[in-house]
Amino acid sequence: MSLETLEAYALEHSPLMALASFGHDVAEAEYLRASLAWVPALKTEFGGGYMPGQEVGDDGRLTSNFGTPGYILSAEAQTTLPLYTFGKLRALEAMGEQGRALASAKEAVLREELLYQVRTLFDSLRFLDEATDIAEEGRRHFDKARDKLEAMEEDDDIEYDQIDHFKLKIYESDIVRMELELARRQIDAREGLAALAGLPGPDALTLEAGDLAPAAVDLDDSASWLDRLDGAGPELKVLDAEYRLQLGQATLERRRWWPDIAIVGEARFQKADPVNNVYRGQTIYDPYNKLYAGAVLGMSWTFDIVGRLSATRKHRALASLKQTKRDLYREKLALEIRALLRELKDLRRLVEVSARAQKAARSWLVDRSNLYDSGFVPAKEVM
C-alpha cells in the first residue's frame, strides 16, 4: 500500500472524518433553519370532552342534566407571516452561512491533521524498517565477535582478553534494549496507523517497499511561506469563521432594536352539542358554539433597552476578542515558521555532515572487522 493509497483510504474510512461530517450536518441543519426563518409556523390546539345535557331554566339560564350525555369539541390555529423585520432575517441567514463556513474550516483542520498523522506514521514505519536493518547488521557483527571470543576462551588462546569479553556482554544489553525498542515502536506505529486510517487491524496494513523520501521544501524563501498564512492555514480559517460568526451575532443584536411587521392569522372552531341542541334555530349569542377566522396586520416591538444595549455591547466585544485571537495566532504561526525554517536549515547541514560521518564509520567498521577476522587486531578495536 503506497502513501497515496493509504491517504485516500484514510480520508474515506477514518473515524476523524466521520466526526467532521457530523459537525457539517449540524451546520447544514442550522443553515436550513436560518434561511427558512421567513416561512410561517402554524400553531394548532385541539380539545374535546364530556359535557352533560343542558336545559333552560325558569330564569332563562342553562342548567345541567347529567342524565343526558353530550360532548364539547374545540380547535384553534394561529400563524404569523413576517413581512418586514428590519434585516433580522438577513442577519440570521448570514449567520447560517458563516456557520457552514466554520464547519467546513473545522473539517479542513481535521482533514489536514489526519493526513499529517498518516504521513508521520507512514514515514516512521519506513524509518523503523531502515533502523531495523541497521540493527540487524550490527547484531551480525556482534554475534561474530562474541562467537570468536567464546572460541578463543575455549581454546585458551593467548590473545584472549577476558576484559574484552566482559565489555562485549555489557554491550549486548544495549543491543537487546535497542532491538526491543525498535520492535515495540513498529507495533505501536502499525496499530496507530491502522486505527487512524480506519483499517480492520494492523494485519491489513502492508506498506509498499521503498525508502524515505525528503519533502521538497525551499528553506531559503521564508517570505513565500509567510504569505501562505493568509487564507491558506486551516486553523486560521477556523478563527476567521468564528470571528465572522460572532460579528453576525452582533449585527443581529443591532437589528433587534427595531420592530417586526407581520400578518397574524387565527381561526377557531368550537362545538358544544348539548348547548347547540337548546339554542338550535335561535338567533342568540352562544359562547359555546362558534366558528370564526381572521387576519390582521400587526407590529411587535419589545422596548427592552437595557437588555438590547447589554447584548449588543457583549457581542461586539466578543467579536473584537475573536478578531484579536485570530491576529495573535497568525503572529504566533509566523514566529513558528521562522523558527522551523532555521531549524530545518541546521538539520539539512547536519544531515550532510552525518552522511559523510556514517559512510566513514561504515568503512571503518568493515575494515576493523576484516582485520579482526584475520587476527590482526584485538576485539576491542571492533567494539
Side-chain angles (χ1 to χ4, degrees):
M1 183 178 290
S2 65
L3 176 59
E4 292 75 15
T5 303
L6 190 59
E7 287 177 340
Y9 187 91
L11 289 175
E12 185 175 355
H13 298 91
S14 175
L16 283 179
M17 298 312 299
L19 182 65
S21 66
F22 294 147
H24 190 73
D25 292 342
V26 172
E28 286 293 336
E30 292 292 340
Y31 173 75
L32 179 64
R33 177 184 177 185
S35 61
L36 298 179
W38 58 270
V39 177
L42 180 64
K43 178 183 177 182
T44 59
E45 294 181 359
F46 300 93
Y50 167 80
M51 184 176 186
Q54 302 295 311
E55 296 177 354
V56 180
D58 296 337
D59 56 358
R61 297 182 178 180
L62 291 175
T63 59
S64 298
N65 181 6
F66 291 93
T68 305
Y71 64 87
I72 183 172
L73 299 175
S74 66
E76 184 177 355
Q78 294 179 344
T79 186
T80 301
L81 176 63
L83 294 181
Y84 192 70
T85 62
F86 292 88
K88 298 185 188 69
L89 293 181
R90 290 196 302 272
L92 279 173
E93 186 174 1
M95 287 182 62
E97 292 176 352
Q98 292 303 325
R100 294 169 70 186
L102 177 59
S104 299
K106 289 183 176 180
E107 184 176 3
V109 169
L110 287 176
R111 182 181 184 276
E112 294 300 322
E113 180 65 22
L114 172 63
L115 293 177
Y116 172 76
Q117 294 294 341
V118 167
R119 291 164 187 164
T120 300
L121 289 173
F122 186 90
D123 290 340
S124 297
L125 283 174
R126 286 279 178 83
F127 172 79
L128 289 170
D129 289 341
E130 293 187 9
T132 301
D133 293 339
I134 296 173
E136 289 175 353
E137 182 179 355
R139 165 60 78 173
R140 287 193 297 270
H141 287 287
F142 175 85
D143 291 341
K144 186 185 295 185
R146 182 191 58 194
D147 294 342
K148 186 166 185 178
L149 279 175
E150 290 176 353
M152 292 171 66
E153 181 183 16
E154 292 178 1
D155 297 340
D156 292 329
D157 193 320
I158 191 173
E159 294 185 359
Y160 172 74
D161 189 338
Q162 190 178 32
I163 300 301
D164 289 340
H165 203 172
F166 288 156
K167 290 180 179 179
L168 198 67
K169 291 180 180 179
I170 295 174
Y171 294 153
E172 186 173 14
S173 66
D174 294 332
I175 293 176
V176 171
R177 181 167 56 251
M178 178 183 61
E179 291 172 338
L180 293 175
E181 183 178 358
L182 286 173
R184 184 180 68 253
R185 288 190 176 185
Q186 279 186 320
I187 294 174
D188 292 344
R190 291 184 67 86
E191 289 183 348
L193 185 55
L196 190 65
L199 290 167
D203 295 336
L205 181 61
T206 55
L207 299 185
E208 185 181 66
D211 298 326
L212 283 171
V217 178
D218 186 2
L219 302 181
D220 299 321
D221 189 9
S222 60
S224 64
W225 289 100
L226 295 176
D227 291 340
R228 296 183 186 184
L229 285 176
D230 297 320
E235 291 88 355
L236 276 176
K237 287 184 178 179
V238 170
L239 292 176
D240 187 66
E242 289 179 348
Y243 160 67
R244 295 182 182 280
L245 183 61
Q246 192 62 58
L247 198 62
Q249 183 67 52
T251 301
L252 178 61
E253 291 300 330
R254 290 198 305 269
R255 300 298 183 186
R256 283 175 174 167
W257 283 88
W258 300 96
D260 294 330
I261 300 176
I263 295 178
V264 181
E266 182 180 51
R268 184 176 180 86
F269 163 78
Q270 182 172 300
K271 181 178 181 181
D273 187 62
V275 178
N276 186 51
N277 291 335
V278 171
Y279 292 132
R280 188 184 305 276
Q282 302 182 35
T283 304
I284 190 171
Y285 171 69
D286 182 359
Y288 296 97
N289 293 274
K290 48 191 171 183
L291 173 64
Y292 66 84
V296 296
L297 176 65
M299 182 179 70
S300 173
W301 200 345
T302 303
F303 292 93
D304 183 10
I305 298 177
V306 175
R308 292 276 71 81
L309 185 62
S310 174
T312 302
R313 290 184 175 181
K314 171 187 173 182
H315 289 289
R316 282 179 179 174
L318 288 175
S320 299
L321 177 63
K322 296 288 185 182
Q323 184 180 23
T324 303
K325 286 178 63 177
R326 181 196 62 183
D327 296 340
L328 289 176
Y329 185 75
R330 187 192 183 283
E331 294 301 320
K332 176 176 175 289
L333 284 181
L335 291 174
E336 291 179 351
I337 287 176
R338 294 189 186 98
L340 282 173
L341 288 174
R342 289 191 293 268
E343 182 181 357
L344 286 173
K345 288 180 181 179
D346 294 341
L347 289 174
R348 180 173 61 182
R349 175 60 178 160
L350 184 59
V351 166
E352 295 172 355
V353 175
S354 299
R356 293 196 298 267
Q358 183 183 21
K359 184 177 180 181
R362 183 180 293 273
S363 300
W364 175 85
L365 177 62
V366 172
D367 180 67
R368 294 293 94 180
S369 299
N370 291 335
L371 290 175
Y372 174 73
D373 294 338
S374 303
F376 291 105
V377 296
K380 57 185 171 183
E381 290 287 338
V382 182
M383 294 180 188

